[in-house]
Amino acid sequence: MEFLSLMGRYLRINFGQMRRQWIRRNWPEFKSSTNTISPPKISVVCANYNTVDLISQLIFSLCRIVGREKISEIVIVDNNSTDGSVELLSTMQEAKIITAIFNSEQRYHGPALNQAMDYLLRKQIDATSEKEATDYVIVLDSDVVVLRSDILEDSVDALKKQNAGLCGQFQPHKHIPEGYAHINSILIDPVRVWKRGICTFEEVGDPAVPLQKSMIQAGIKRVDFPFCAENYLLHLGRGTLKNIFDKNISTNNYFEWAREKNEFHFQGNPNGFLFYEEYLKIFSQEVSSFSPELIVEACLNPQKINFDFLEVSRQA
């Protein structure tokens, strides 16, 4: 019976993957009616599950270190959190900082990212002006904080120079010998990537593996970009797994995995702990006590923050 159950799940996953790969709408390229050259429109997508503290820190870093004016839209999909995330994201949506999509059940990482992408796709199809369009999408994990204000400009520039469809920091992976761009931070050109014949994100341990494998098969170039290695951002690592383990959520599909993998690893960054400690000092200065209203106020503050600790660490 267990074999039949596993086989049934395998067939459902693979049939669903093939269906999403071929029965879908292509991402249209928005054609401006003017000849003006404007900065690219970049949207952020992220899935959240019971990481209210971490998603707060991510959104704060996007607003205050990168600058909200550089980002077309921040789309957060919440997978039925019970830790205060819904209240926080609702308050942020009311303040027009983010767009929130709330699931009434746990849909997991890959499907949640697909929801965010499909939301942006519908907007792209209906767009009547450049303001409503999206040129690039950056996918971030909820346990990421952005440290450098030039992250968007530099990653888009790398993508354009190589005429590629995706950029991210490569790491070894048994299913992708050429290297896997880790899903904690990948930038995609959706016109090239979000279309028939290319897989969507999937409900697997590495949600971007099917997408990248189908890109390779289709001859769509990927670029190795040092998001973590050059401190554009800090990936804490295992943020959601840590919360699943700490809260003993045994019904989660990844609970057994979380038993063994529940501590931050900072993506191998030897300065990761120090960077995070310094970042939290900045965050706590702005958010003296954890409440949705104070976090919204801090995100709406127009004063930009420069993470000077990066320069200090380089000189040291």
Side-chain angles (χ1 to χ4, degrees), residues 130-305:
E130 284 185 282
K131 187 177 180 181
E132 300 168 315
T134 292
D135 299 312
Y136 300 97
V137 178
I138 186 165
V139 180
L140 297 174
D141 275 358
S142 63
D143 59 352
V144 157
V145 290
V146 180
L147 303 179
R148 288 177 50 175
S149 62
D150 56 355
I151 182 173
L152 299 180
E153 295 91 337
D154 287 3
S155 57
V156 168
D157 187 51
L159 199 72
K160 292 168 69 175
K161 280 183 177 177
Q162 296 293 325
N163 198 26
L166 177 151
C167 75
Q169 185 162 318
F170 284 16
Q171 66 176 36
H173 196 284
K174 61 182 178 181
H175 295 305
I176 306 181
E178 301 90 340
Y180 170 61
H182 198 286
I183 197 173
N184 72 73
S185 49
I186 54 174
L187 178 80
I188 66 173
D189 177 351
V191 172
R192 291 173 178 265
V193 172
W194 211 252
K195 62 181 183 179
R196 289 183 208 93
I198 305 300
C199 288
T200 57
F201 298 108
E202 297 299 328
E203 200 280 282
V204 292
D206 293 316
V209 166
L211 179 144
Q212 292 185 46
K213 286 176 67 177
S214 61
M215 285 181 63
I216 293 168
Q217 291 167 1
I220 301 172
K221 191 170 185 178
R222 301 171 308 131
V223 176
D224 187 0
F225 184 81
F227 279 116
C228 297
E230 295 191 7
N231 300 318
Y232 285 96
L233 53 81
L234 180 65
H235 177 221
L236 308 185
R238 300 173 181 166
T240 301
L241 291 176
K242 188 177 191 308
N243 278 278
I244 290 170
F245 176 77
D246 290 347
K247 294 180 173 64
N248 196 33
I249 307 174
S250 59
T251 56
N252 189 278
N253 286 354
Y254 298 96
F255 179 70
E256 291 303 321
W257 194 9
R259 284 178 182 272
E260 300 178 0
K261 301 176 184 293
N262 55 62
E263 295 297 333
F264 296 150
H265 57 65
F266 302 108
Q267 204 70 25
N269 187 332
N271 295 313
F273 178 79
L274 291 176
F275 286 166
Y276 189 48
E277 194 174 54
E278 292 300 314
Y279 177 81
L280 287 179
K281 287 180 185 177
I282 295 170
F283 182 79
S284 60
Q285 286 171 2
E286 299 272 340
V287 183
S288 55
S289 62
F290 200 90
S291 76
E293 292 73 23
L294 284 178
I295 294 167
V296 163
E297 182 181 344
C299 289
L300 290 175
N301 186 335
Q303 184 178 1
K304 293 287 289 296
I305 293 171

Side-chain angles (χ1 to χ4, degrees), residues 84-152:
S85 290
V86 172
E87 293 78 6
L88 171 73
L89 298 175
S90 296
T91 305
M92 286 191 155
Q93 180 160 243
E94 289 170 8
K96 302 188 186 310
I97 296 171
I98 66 165
T99 296
I101 299 172
F102 298 105
N103 288 326
S104 58
E105 61 182 1
Q106 168 62 280
R107 296 190 65 179
Y108 295 99
H109 194 179
L113 293 178
N114 291 337
Q115 285 180 273
M117 292 297 297
D118 287 343
Y119 161 79
L120 290 172
L121 171 61
R122 291 192 297 272
K123 283 194 68 174
Q124 188 82 357
I125 291 170
D126 296 336
T128 58
S129 69
E130 284 185 282
K131 187 177 180 181
E132 300 168 315
T134 292
D135 299 312
Y136 300 97
V137 178
I138 186 165
V139 180
L140 297 174
D141 275 358
S142 63
D143 59 352
V144 157
V145 290
V146 180
L147 303 179
R148 288 177 50 175
S149 62
D150 56 355
I151 182 173
L152 299 180

Side-chain angles (χ1 to χ4, degrees), residues 52-65:
V52 65
D53 52 343
L54 301 181
I55 199 69
S56 303
Q57 294 161 24
L58 167 61
I59 296 171
F60 176 81
S61 71
L62 290 169
C63 292
R64 298 294 301 282
I65 292 179

Side-chain angles (χ1 to χ4, degrees), residues 9-33:
R9 185 170 185 269
Y10 174 81
L11 291 173
R12 285 195 301 274
I13 290 172
N14 281 271
F15 176 76
Q17 180 176 310
M18 287 188 292
R19 184 177 183 277
R20 287 186 295 273
Q21 186 174 350
W22 294 105
I23 305 175
R24 58 193 295 202
R25 300 184 73 172
N26 290 343
W27 191 288
E29 185 172 9
F30 182 80
K31 301 295 184 182
S32 173
S33 59

